[in-house]
Amino acid sequence: MSIPVASLEPIPTCYATVSIGTPDTPLDQKLEAIAGAGFQGIEFGFPDLLSFASKRRNEQVQPQDFDTLCDVGREVQQLVEKNGLKVVMLQPFSNFEGWEQGSAGRDDAFRRAKGWIRIMQAVGTDMLQVGSTDSPHALGSLDYLASDLGQLADLLAPHKFRLAYENWCWATHAPLWKDVWEIVRKVDRPNVGLCLDTYQTAGGEWADPTTDSGLIEREGGKEALQRQFQTSLEIMARTIPKEKIYILQISDAYKPRTPLDPNPDKDGLRPRARWSSCLRPIPFDGGYLPVVEVTQAVLKTGFRGWFSMEVFDGGPDGSDQDWKDLKGYAKKAMASHNRLLQEAADS
């Protein structure tokens, strides 16, 4: 399928609130910067809700104080609308699926799900991002994972809410786009689709932050890796129906200056999770992933829905930045979005 540049003009633009400033940055400043750069919507990050609620209540609001979070969430909705924006998605809902029957983890997962559904109602969004579980306790059967997600979809359905399932490239059982697509097919619900991500796709199948080259090293070298990755993208382009893609998240990655330790850190974070947390810039700003190629594969499905900047940019050394110019960074992100569309088009 060709990608005419004219077909890309209607693509709506989104920016994740966790991707500009820090959780302590006032939410109104984040929204003003995002709206001022021309973005139309936001992914609303749960850390920003917690921060906003704690400031409003002058105390530390807990993640499962859903009454308070919903009260404050309604204020968030008004603030978002004041800035001419839309809450496209609430994120990131993690470690939901795969808990053993009768376990405390499973009880907690469903309790959180019901609370987050209330928050979705409060902030005015119809989409919940669910990242593929990275819990070491998750059971590995794809059928079992799909059953859990089907139950979550059924909780969302009466509200006409959707579930956007994303492969996290460090996940325990579903790190690749093919894995989450297989699970979504098994779930087989009209309100369950995919949250695809340029970083998660290329970071899981093409790049490796633990090697000197920054690439997955296998027999046949870089040429074999490139052929295998290109084949994966071709399969994506011809097998995923466009209506099953709910959103495409955009980011690149810096090549670590020193290869990351392949072992989990003291907090249990695997290397790709550590890489994700602070070394993900906007495209064309120092990263090295094949972001354009992933974007082209998604566009070749016919998808023309939300493109969302979800970056975690701590600079090339991952030490964070001062965030003195939120508006300037947001405008740079919009320029990156526009360039990405131009480079992804083939006619």
Side-chain angles (χ1 to χ4, degrees):
M1 177 183 288
S2 66
I3 309 172
V5 67
S7 76
L8 308 183
E9 293 176 4
I11 288 177
T13 56
C14 182
Y15 198 106
T17 61
V18 292
S19 297
I20 190 166
T22 71
D24 291 329
T25 303
L27 182 60
D28 59 342
Q29 292 181 17
K30 292 189 176 196
L31 297 178
E32 288 169 10
I34 292 168
F39 289 93
Q40 297 158 280
I42 62 166
E43 294 183 48
F44 189 42
F46 192 70
D48 285 313
L49 176 60
L50 283 175
S51 175
F52 187 75
S54 296
K55 290 173 183 175
R56 279 288 191 269
R57 293 295 188 266
N58 293 312
E59 62 180 6
Q60 188 63 46
V61 174
Q62 298 303 309
Q64 296 202 26
D65 183 356
F66 296 119
D67 288 339
T68 298
L69 293 174
C70 289
D71 285 344
V72 174
R74 284 182 276 274
E75 294 182 48
V76 171
Q77 182 183 29
Q78 293 173 2
L79 190 58
V80 170
E81 292 176 351
K82 178 183 175 182
N83 282 276
L85 296 166
K86 170 189 173 74
V87 181
V88 177
M89 183 166 70
L90 180 65
Q91 62 108 317
F93 193 62
S94 60
N95 290 336
F96 171 78
E97 73 278 26
W99 294 99
E100 187 174 356
Q101 295 286 337
S103 66
R106 185 176 183 83
D107 290 343
D108 176 71
F110 277 87
R111 182 167 53 250
R112 287 187 291 117
K114 292 171 183 176
W116 278 52
I117 288 171
R118 291 176 58 198
I119 293 170
M120 291 173 70
Q121 293 174 297
V123 302
T125 188
D126 70 348
M127 188 154 61
L128 178 67
Q129 180 215 46
V130 179
S132 55
T133 182
D134 62 354
S135 169
H137 306 293
L139 302 179
S141 162
L142 295 191
D143 287 325
Y144 190 80
L145 300 175
S147 175
D148 282 352
L149 291 167
Q151 292 179 63
L152 177 55
D154 292 344
L155 291 174
L156 292 163
H159 308 283
K160 296 183 169 49
F161 289 168
R162 297 177 294 161
L163 188 165
Y165 194 39
E166 179 183 10
N167 62 296
W168 286 351
C169 61
W170 59 90
T172 311
H173 302 298
L176 306 179
W177 74 262
K178 292 177 184 176
D179 301 323
V180 291
W181 174 229
E182 179 63 20
I183 291 170
V184 166
R185 290 177 62 225
K186 288 177 178 291
V187 173
D188 193 22
R189 300 290 200 285
N191 64 331
V192 178
L194 296 172
C195 169
L196 295 177
D197 185 306
T198 58
Y199 165 81
Q200 306 293 357
T201 299
E205 294 186 57
W206 185 84
D208 184 345
T210 70
T211 65
D212 288 328
S213 66
L215 304 178
I216 294 173
E217 296 180 351
R218 55 168 55 106
E219 186 176 351
K222 186 175 180 179
E223 289 185 3
L225 172 67
Q226 190 62 37
R227 284 195 302 271
Q228 184 172 350
F229 185 59
Q230 189 58 43
T231 297
S232 176
L233 295 181
E234 290 170 359
I235 293 171
M236 174 193 288
R238 68 172 182 262
T239 58
I240 302 179
K242 62 183 180 182
E243 63 273 11
K244 278 298 185 179
I245 302 173
Y246 289 168
I247 191 168
L248 174 65
Q249 293 177 323
I250 308 291
S251 70
D252 204 336
Y254 299 112
K255 180 178 175 292
R257 290 177 173 174
T258 302
L260 302 185
D261 186 330
N263 299 304
D265 67 8
K266 59 182 177 59
D267 297 317
L269 289 177
R270 301 176 178 117
R272 282 185 170 88
R274 304 197 302 273
W275 189 32
S276 173
S277 67
C278 59
L279 288 167
R280 287 173 57 180
I282 61 176
F284 317 112
D285 198 35
Y288 75 111
L289 299 184
V291 174
V292 173
E293 289 85 344
V294 177
T295 303
Q296 287 175 322
V298 175
L299 290 171
K300 285 178 181 178
T301 68
F303 173 75
R304 296 296 185 271
W306 289 99
F307 269 41
S308 182
M309 283 287 174
E310 190 208 32
V311 302
F312 299 98
D313 189 355
D317 61 359
S319 62
D320 214 347
Q321 52 182 294
D322 56 26
W323 291 109
K324 289 180 179 178
D325 186 10
L326 299 181
K327 293 181 179 179
Y329 193 90
K331 288 177 181 177
K332 187 168 71 170
M334 178 55 76
S336 173
H337 165 83
N338 291 331
R339 179 178 171 184
L340 179 62
L341 293 186
Q342 289 293 326
E343 296 205 10
D346 58 17
S347 62

